[in-house]
Amino acid sequence: MSLDLGSTFVVLEPDLSTALIDVGPTVFEELDQRFDGFRGRVLISSFSFDSDWPTWEMHPVGDEVVCLLSGEATLVLDRGDVKEIVRLRAPGSYVVVPKGTWHTARTSVPTKMLFVTPGEGTENKPL
């Protein structure tokens, strides 16, 4: 059975088994409710976008891997006193966002990225 990460996310359970989750408008609320606030779990997902993210996000319990599948993106990592700029231009290029680091993405072209996210305690804030 072939699946698409843009429409069916994968939750990696603490015992390393997987659960498949259909993506809908309330997917993140459902993930928190169904998986106990996402404790000890990792979300594997893909998103397509063609403009800058409207928010910052931060994952307090682990590093996030962000991999470019197509297009190009600039990730901005806010380390408090320093903002690090990481440009992803070739498919397969990636960045590891350290836990506790606020980050956002910028692009002006159709872009698709793969995310491996420790979801517990994820926070978002406006730019």
Side-chain angles (χ1 to χ4, degrees):
M1 169 171 65
S2 177
L3 300 167
D4 178 83
L5 280 175
S7 59
T8 306
F9 290 169
V10 177
V11 174
L12 188 59
E13 298 275 12
D15 68 0
L16 301 182
S17 64
T18 58
L20 304 180
I21 306 301
D22 290 331
V23 176
T26 61
V27 67
F28 294 105
E29 293 85 357
E30 292 172 32
L31 288 170
D32 276 344
Q33 291 170 2
R34 181 171 168 189
F35 297 100
D36 189 31
F38 229 67
R39 277 189 226 1
R41 292 168 175 89
V42 174
L43 180 66
I44 302 170
S45 60
S46 176
F47 289 99
S48 297
F49 55 99
D50 59 8
S51 61
D52 297 352
W53 293 359
T55 61
W56 292 93
E57 70 175 14
M58 186 269 293
H59 311 289
V61 300
D63 300 345
E64 179 179 43
V65 177
V66 180
C67 180
L68 183 69
L69 299 176
S70 64
E72 61 183 53
T74 299
L75 270 76
V76 181
L77 310 181
D78 186 347
R79 299 177 184 263
D81 54 345
V82 173
K83 285 196 173 64
E84 181 181 351
I85 305 298
V86 179
R87 289 180 176 81
L88 302 177
R89 294 188 174 139
S93 59
Y94 69 95
V95 62
V96 176
V97 179
K99 76 176 182 177
T101 301
W102 287 99
H103 56 285
T104 191
R106 299 177 180 155
T107 193
S108 59
V109 300
T111 298
K112 186 173 186 177
M113 300 179 86
L114 171 76
F115 300 86
V116 180
T117 308
E120 180 181 346
T122 294
E123 295 181 37
N124 290 279
K125 67 180 182 180
L127 288 177

